[in-house]
Amino acid sequence: MANRDRLLKTLIDLIQIDSPTGEEDAMDREVSSRLEALGFKVHHDSFNNVIAKLPGAGEPVLLSAHLDTVEPGRGIQPVLDGDVLRSDGTTILGGDCKSGVSIVLEALTTVTESGDKHLPIEVAFTRAEEGGLVGVHHLDFSQLSAKRGVVFDGEGAVNRVSVAAPSQNVVTAQIRGRSAHAGVEPEKGLSAIILAAEILTQLPLGRIDQETTANIGRIEGGLKRNIIPELVLLDGELRSLDNAKLDRYSQEFQRVFDQARARHPDAEITLDIRNTYQAYRVADSHPAVAMIGRALARIGMEIRLEATGGGSDANVFQEHGIVALPVGIGVESFHTVRESAVVSQVLQGAEMCEGIIRGV
Ligand SMILES: [Zn+2]
């Protein structure tokens, strides 16, 4: 069985290795050497994602997590308070996704130590997940033969399984008006900030419907109090569990920008909408769901099927024909300095993962 103390030590050790997106080398070295010590053959693809394999009997299974964290994520000081691990409040904890990596390593250690039979195991530890699933987009899928698996990268308890996830379009816009002295000749100017305001009030934003959300999360523009602002940049996103709705609302964005362009022919307004990942929905009856359900039942937990509002490496695995579902890793409040890991829940993650590897 998974060992709580060993698991907690692994988690704390990994949390103390800084790995903000783009700086995953130290984490890579640590997990690669641990995997090699367990008998895995470790490869790196052209993006330096870690792909490790151990032969076994039966249908191969993919176990995945990511190596990077968000900021502020340097010099993290984990503090254990009973069953809960937190940061000292000045950084994230990095439980996202160090808990996921620790869960996989603990389960692999338990099973390989036992000498028992297990499935052929394929591990993918990706880089730059937090940078917009960059690592998994570069993953060398020719190295993987598994058709199902688990992505250890969800919030909450391990029985929370994301069977549906949204698609995301990234929206960036540039609005260029004309600068002029604000006090001397404002009539010669064309304020990009006012144009942006006009556009923003017309875009569908927030929760559009049960399955669809939109946000402009960053606005940048203007130079000085006394200059009519020439340039504004907008940075946002659209998400939907339904790819058709994502298209429809992207067109709606397009229409609002087209109309602004028509109203202000001397402004220069550009809009760029790019898809970063596609939605997926896996049937409750899918074998990958049943596999996780059995591993949970083995430790007395009941599966909870959920639709998530966030994308993960799982979306891209789906695009490559691998049904690897995200499960909870015992961590709450991802991407905040309040992030915490519940050690007993992390342990449940390792126990569930053990069942997956054993092919229960
Ligand atoms: Zn994550």
Side-chain angles (χ1 to χ4, degrees), residues 81-97:
D81 174 10
D83 192 34
V84 180
L85 195 64
R86 293 191 184 84
S87 75
D88 63 5
T90 63
T91 65
I92 57 157
L93 176 66
D96 168 20
C97 194

Side-chain angles (χ1 to χ4, degrees), residues 258-275:
D258 286 346
Q259 287 174 347
R261 227 174 267 127
R263 276 196 309 275
H264 304 285
D266 23 335
E268 205 180 282
I269 302 174
T270 60
L271 172 66
D272 182 52
I273 301 181
R274 239 167 329 111
N275 180 258

Side-chain angles (χ1 to χ4, degrees), residues 65-66 68-70 95-98 129-130 152-154 311-312 329 334-335:
H66 62 86
D68 61 317
T69 69
V70 295
D96 168 20
C97 194
K98 304 286 171 71
E129 192 268 357
E130 305 288 6
F152 289 89
D153 190 21
S312 73
I329 55 174
F334 278 26
H335 300 189

Side-chain angles (χ1 to χ4, degrees), residues 168-185:
Q168 184 200 44
N169 279 354
V170 166
V171 176
T172 50
Q174 182 174 305
I175 300 160
R176 188 180 291 280
R178 200 169 42 249
S179 63
H181 191 293
V184 180
E185 43 182 15

Side-chain angles (χ1 to χ4, degrees), residues 2 10 30 83 104 141 146 160 209 233 250 273 278 283 288 290 297 304 326 333 354:
T10 301
E30 179 65 24
D83 192 34
V104 171
F141 281 91
R160 292 176 57 182
D209 64 34
L233 303 171
S250 297
I273 301 181
Q278 292 286 308
R304 271 177 58 187
S333 304
E354 188 190 330

